[in-house]
Amino acid sequence: MDFSQFLSYIASGTVYTVGVTLIALPAGLLIGTILALLYVYGGKVAARVMNLYSTVFRGIPPLVLLFILFFAVTRGVNLSAFWAGSLSLGMVSSAYQMEIVRGALLSVSGDQLMAARAVGLSRLQAIRYVVLPQAVRLAIPPWSNEAAIVIKDSSLVYALGVPEILRRAQLIGASSQRYLLAYLSAAIIYFLLVYATTRLLNHLEQKLSIPSNP
Amino acid sequence: MPKPILTIKNLTKIYGQNVIFQNLNLTVNEGDTVVIIGPSGTGKSTLLRCINLLTRPNEGQIWLDDLEITAKGTDEDQVRQHIGMVFQNFLLFNHLTALGNVKLGLTKVKKMSDEEATKKAMHELSRVGLADRANHYPGQLSGGQQQRVGIARALAMDPRVMLFDEPTSALDPELIGEVLEVMRKLALDGMTMVVVTHEMGFAREVADRIVFMEKGHIVEEGSPDEMFNHPKFDRTREFLWKITELYGKKEKEAE
């Protein structure tokens, strides 16, 4: 087997890596944002529940959660390894993303919310038109960090047998006995994915930045 | 017969153990400019926040025209539309241009079309002399300009009364004048205003009535002439003398 075949075998796992990321990250964002809004604006009881959610999911290794969801929960529901992996990573990420969004909401809220209410906007309108647009901008840098983590954590689904980059590297490494080359190739592909994503989000951050004088 | 726009009766606000003010009574008539002065921590800002329901008083009533706005079941959002508020720290929406700041209430609260709202917002921005800065973001404006946008934003809602919470306290001395000028013009146009400020020049010249508050009580109120030249209480005289000395100097330096 020549090198290009070797590499393309591993690289074809990128579809799964990207697939898992594209499910886990937006799912985590959606859940995380909703939970963060409840945390900040939902009153004391909601805040406690959200705090518990965050503590629990951040306290369990993603791989353990992955196994729980795949082996325990999917007994009843027919969930493929790919989906079980993506969704559990999404849940783990939602706890972290909730904290990111919550921090951003809190640093905008207060005065800006009061000013919006003073103009006559309802609480919901004030959050939607004044707090959220500013919070989103603040959340991009930490979110970019979380995106990188999810891309890297997507490698965990290899443990469920999903043929993503790491799984393929392991297989071809074993069959060819060229472990170092296999894992180095995997490392480079992961790095490129993370690098491209971070650059893209950096660009977005700059594009959305609010003009101001130096 | 002057028509009261704002009537405050027996208003009490307590935070925990802290009595901010107690049994406060105040009437503001249509077209009047009432200036509230007093040492910091006296409850002046809290009073303004109670008036537009950003803070709920513990006891007492407030009427806006004939409507008791402290009554249970009052639509707060509805009430706030009619009460403009200008903040010490401007509190412009940082992600919106000057125009966007003024337009937001018009499109979202008054449900104006974009075109109508732009027209109205531009009118208000010209009133404060900032039509040429409409597309600037708050971060691109000076403090004085930001505060004038803040005034335009409140004016755009066509409020019955405007509340100013130390509108010039966060400004560099050379920027205070432009904001006071806008406020002076507003008062002359017949806007009803309640102004918390330390600007004694403004109080003396523009106020119809000056209210001196201390430790949660109204010590004395009267016309500028009464307050500056014949105060009934020594404490009023003392405070006015101190503050005029302090801020008068600053004003002269600024000139």
Side-chain angles (χ1 to χ4, degrees), chain B:
Chain B
M1 177 74 187
K3 181 175 175 290
I5 281 195
L6 207 57
T7 313
I8 299 170
K9 274 203 181 128
N10 297 323
L11 206 69
T12 299
K13 178 69 193 174
I14 302 166
Y15 280 119
Q17 300 276 316
N18 239 344
V19 179
I20 309 296
F21 48 74
Q22 206 161 19
N23 293 326
L24 208 80
N25 293 289
L26 187 69
T27 307
V28 179
N29 290 323
E30 184 160 34
D32 274 5
T33 297
V34 173
V35 169
I36 303 178
I37 59 174
S40 48
T42 299
K44 299 169 305 216
S45 297
T46 310
L47 176 62
L48 292 192
R49 274 161 207 213
C50 281
I51 294 174
N52 77 347
L53 303 180
L54 287 172
T55 304
R56 278 278 174 179
N58 297 73
E59 271 172 61
Q61 286 111 26
I62 303 171
W63 283 267
L64 179 65
D65 291 314
D66 297 324
L67 180 77
E68 194 205 326
I69 58 175
T70 40
K72 274 203 179 120
T74 307
D75 183 348
E76 295 180 7
D77 301 332
Q78 183 68 32
V79 169
R80 289 201 195 96
Q81 282 184 51
H82 304 294
I83 302 177
M85 178 101 176
V86 175
F87 299 92
Q88 182 176 356
N89 299 317
F90 330 135
L91 301 189
L92 295 185
F93 309 133
N94 295 316
H95 63 304
L96 297 175
T97 59
L99 182 65
N101 265 275
V102 183
K103 266 172 73 176
L104 190 69
L106 298 173
T107 52
K108 302 305 175 201
V109 180
K110 292 205 181 240
K111 311 285 180 200
M112 280 188 185
S113 71
D114 190 69
E115 198 183 336
E116 261 182 300
T118 304
K119 208 172 136 200
K120 170 84 173 151
M122 284 309 296
H123 171 71
E124 300 301 343
L125 283 172
S126 346
R127 264 174 96 178
V128 299
L130 286 174
D132 58 330
R133 292 283 185 277
N135 293 318
H136 285 55
Y137 285 86
Q140 299 170 311
L141 299 172
S142 74
Q145 291 170 335
Q146 288 189 53
Q147 192 57 296
R148 282 147 69 198
V149 174
I151 294 172
R153 177 174 72 179
L155 281 177
M157 302 302 284
D158 291 324
R160 290 287 288 152
V161 53
M162 288 275 283
L163 311 177
F164 294 82
D165 187 4
E166 301 204 26
T168 56
S169 299
L171 292 173
D172 288 337
E174 76 264 30
L175 301 177
I176 291 175
E178 60 188 76
V179 173
L180 291 181
E181 190 48 45
V182 166
M183 291 168 61
R184 196 170 285 139
K185 235 169 57 192
L186 265 183
L188 286 178
D189 285 350
M191 174 59 73
T192 310
M193 309 185 355
V194 181
V195 185
V196 171
T197 187
H198 295 301
E199 294 297 332
M200 288 305 124
F202 177 83
R204 197 190 271 268
E205 190 192 334
V206 182
D208 295 288
R209 219 142 44 86
I210 297 177
V211 176
F212 173 46
M213 258 178 94
E214 187 171 47
K215 293 179 185 144
H217 293 281
I218 291 176
V219 177
E220 185 171 355
E221 56 175 295
S223 70
D225 178 54
E226 286 164 346
M227 296 291 277
F228 280 100
N229 302 325
H230 328 282
K232 290 193 202 82
F233 296 93
D234 284 347
R235 185 61 194 124
T236 311
R237 185 195 310 275
E238 196 186 336
F239 180 79
L240 279 173
W241 187 82
K242 256 192 205 160
I243 208 105
T244 307
E245 161 117 320
L246 188 71
Y247 283 81
K249 257 186 203 161
K250 220 159 86 178
E251 261 168 36
K252 268 192 198 123
E253 277 168 19
E255 283 160 14

Side-chain angles (χ1 to χ4, degrees), chain A:
Chain A
M1 186 177 1
D2 64 14
F3 180 66
S4 74
Q5 271 178 313
F6 186 91
L7 194 65
S8 80
Y9 178 76
I10 297 174
S12 60
T14 307
V15 182
Y16 291 96
T17 298
V18 171
V20 169
T21 307
L22 284 183
I23 293 166
L25 206 54
L29 179 63
L30 184 70
I31 300 170
T33 305
I34 293 170
L35 298 188
L37 285 167
L38 284 170
Y39 200 144
V40 177
Y41 301 113
K44 275 183 193 156
V45 179
R48 271 207 196 149
V49 175
M50 297 314 139
N51 190 22
L52 184 73
Y53 179 91
S54 155
T55 311
V56 168
F57 278 100
R58 289 187 302 155
I60 301 171
L63 191 57
V64 176
L65 201 73
L66 220 82
F67 284 147
I68 292 176
L69 203 72
F70 186 59
F71 292 112
V73 180
T74 57
R75 290 224 159 151
V77 211
N78 193 10
L79 210 57
S80 71
F82 174 78
W83 277 98
S86 306
L87 291 179
S88 29
L89 284 177
M91 280 170 82
V92 174
S93 180
S94 75
Y96 288 95
Q97 295 195 52
M98 173 176 92
E99 296 295 349
I100 291 170
V101 177
R102 180 171 84 103
L105 287 175
L106 285 177
S107 55
V108 178
S109 243
D111 281 353
Q112 288 282 313
L113 192 68
M114 180 173 70
R117 297 303 301 275
V119 178
L121 268 71
S122 71
R123 197 170 153 84
L124 217 59
Q125 284 179 320
I127 292 169
R128 178 165 164 209
Y129 298 114
V130 176
V131 178
L132 269 179
Q134 297 182 61
V136 164
R137 292 172 165 91
L138 286 178
I140 293 175
W143 196 79
S144 156
N145 211 8
E146 175 62 16
I149 289 172
V150 171
I151 292 172
K152 290 182 285 182
D153 276 359
S154 75
S155 62
L156 293 172
V157 300
Y158 101 101
L160 304 181
V162 178
E164 47 71 71
I165 297 169
L166 181 62
R167 177 76 177 162
R168 284 167 180 265
Q170 194 190 26
L171 289 174
I172 205 166
S175 65
S176 67
Q177 294 296 308
R178 294 162 81 181
Y179 285 110
L180 183 64
L181 186 63
Y183 288 130
L184 268 179
S185 310
I188 289 168
I189 298 171
Y190 279 119
F191 174 80
L192 289 177
L193 286 175
V194 170
Y195 181 74
T197 306
T198 319
R199 283 296 297 265
L200 194 74
L201 287 169
N202 260 342
H203 183 70
L204 186 70
E205 184 193 346
Q206 262 154 33
K207 211 177 152 190
L208 288 181
S209 77
I210 301 159
S212 77
N213 291 337

